[in-house]
Amino acid sequence: MHLPLKKFSLLLFLVTLGFYSKAQTVTGLGTYLTPQEAKKLYTDTIVRHTPFRPYVLNNSDSLLLAKDSSVHKTWLGRKTFDEHLLQVVNPEYKIYLDFLPDFQIGSDLKNNRTTWVNTRGFMLGGSIGKNFSFYTSFYENQGVFPVYVDNYTRGINVLPGQGEVRNYGDHGLDYSYSQGRISYTPSKYFNFDLGYDKNFIGDGYRSLLLSDAAAPYPYVKITATIWKLRYMMMWAQMIDRESPKLDYQNGYRKKWGAFHYLDWNISKKVSVGLFENIIWMDADSLGKRGFDWSYLNPLLFFRPVEFANGSPDKALVGLTAKYKMLPKFTWYGQFALNEFTASEFFSGDGYWANKWGTQIGFRSFDIFGIPNLHFQGEANIVRPYTYTARIPIVEGVAVPNNGKPTNNYVHFSQPLAHLWGANFEEFLGIVNYTWRRFDVRGQFTYGYYGRDPEGLNYGKNILKPYDTRVSDYGNYIGQGITSHLYYGDIKIAYVLNPKYNLRFETGLTYRNEKNDASPSNTTIVSVGLRSSFRNLYYDF
């Protein structure tokens, strides 16, 4: 039994009207966390379920809710430095509206290219009573990007984490996208969330389970909190841009995702979590499959349901863990398992179907006793072919599909987990320092991975089906065109208005990719006026 696609799509489309719950997340704006908010989450004496982003708050969690304060007396001073552009405050409801500029200009020095971004966005949100709130934002953009970002974007015709692009001038791109949420928290036990947005599971900078690296998508989510447990159930609709369109009216093919995540605070220091996901195709050459009611199962363990249905759907399971070793020092980790063969898992012979990834990292706050000086270190390792799927097969025959799978762990041509796909090792460090309204952020990343030569599949590009793998055995991280990436980025900003993160910002980025096929080296300087609660990743 299947839910008609048009009715379900219409239901989810309504959320683009933009609703969001202030009682649901720290920042009020999705997966973005400021350093101060992260510090509150991880150093507070209250034991919190930190792997959820947007973070689900109970009504009593006032510590993490933004406070209204004004230090300027004039209207212009308040609007520039303290308040929303327009706001209506009433005992029964609050409404705010902000203009979100992102005006940047810079230079890709090694490639002699002037870079710029011209973004005009708006944000509308508010709350009604204590339990219901709303949020929406829309961005219209044009820009010229560094060569490595431009090449990646034109390869998939999508700017990472944002939208489909069109040509603009000689080297420019034109694109737009929107986000929105409806959230209702009737009690401290439940939160109901409908949105067209992103979600993130984990304590790290990256997530190997579900990240915010891809474009927004429509979803329905229920979060339940009881005792020391928090349980999330989510159903989402994804876009498969690699398959041929069904027809002009239906546009790109769709696929569905069902997600479960259970987080258990065992003690004040230790937390563990269980994650599972199923991705299934919406349509094949024989017609539409639609929403599979079997995956409305609200309990953990999809795999038995999938097996009972004789289903070819793609499963991903995972574990998370967190250990608060010191009041201001926390270890965290993840393990993602896409597929494995028990007899081959510990053999060390590089069997292709042992597809897994692991993460370990830490967060440290007020290091060296310096207030608001924070450091985060993280390592991510993902084996070749992880997150990939096979070419669809119907009645024993491969479905013509441009040689691409449809139920891989991908949305809108972008990975749903780590932006790098698979077949890599990554080590990164991030330092943040805040003094009054000055904010400094530095990041250094070293990556080791194997790129795919023309016409071959060594397991990094998860858009490719694993049917086209080079070999069954001898698959190790770095196979293919062995590459080393050195990435450094520093940004210095003065925050004009924390209400909508309006800031003057200047930055310096260094990127050096070394390999024997197509090495690249670039240095980028930029300056601009920005207002953003978005996590946009260009460190690839």
Side-chain angles (χ1 to χ4, degrees), residues 20 187 317 319 431 495:
Y20 163 77
S187 71
V317 297
L319 299 172
V431 61
V495 179

Side-chain angles (χ1 to χ4, degrees), residues 191-303:
N191 174 267
F192 300 90
D193 182 12
L194 282 76
Y196 185 86
D197 210 336
K198 306 178 183 184
N199 293 272
F200 188 101
I201 290 178
D203 290 285
Y205 174 70
R206 310 284 196 185
S207 176
L208 305 184
L209 302 177
L210 179 63
S211 80
D212 54 0
Y217 46 84
Y219 67 87
V220 176
K221 181 168 63 175
I222 301 172
T223 303
T225 304
I226 186 171
W227 189 52
K228 298 179 180 181
L229 303 175
R230 177 163 287 177
Y231 185 46
M232 182 272 287
M233 302 159 281
M234 184 172 72
W235 300 268
Q237 187 184 71
M238 310 296 180
I239 299 293
D240 176 24
R241 295 181 66 258
E242 275 58 55
S243 299
K245 292 183 179 181
L246 293 173
D247 52 51
Y248 177 79
Q249 291 183 345
N250 286 296
Y252 292 119
R253 294 192 182 194
K254 309 296 191 300
K255 58 185 179 183
W256 300 88
F259 304 80
H260 290 166
Y261 179 66
L262 174 67
D263 187 57
W264 178 22
N265 287 331
I266 298 175
S267 69
K268 292 183 178 181
K269 291 187 175 183
V270 179
S271 299
V272 296
L274 298 175
F275 171 86
E276 66 176 353
N277 159 262
I278 292 287
I279 297 288
W280 72 95
M281 295 182 293
D282 179 66
D284 55 33
S285 62
L286 300 181
K288 297 183 178 180
R289 176 180 173 185
F291 185 85
D292 192 329
W293 285 90
S294 300
Y295 296 132
L296 279 179
N297 167 32
L299 302 179
L300 279 170
F301 308 121
F302 280 127
R303 199 65 179 178

Side-chain angles (χ1 to χ4, degrees), residues 281 284-286 312 390-401 406-407 466-467:
M281 295 182 293
D284 55 33
S285 62
L286 300 181
R390 66 182 180 182
I391 298 174
I393 297 177
V394 178
E395 296 183 351
V397 179
V399 177
N401 194 36
T406 58
N407 58 344
Y466 59 65
D467 311 65

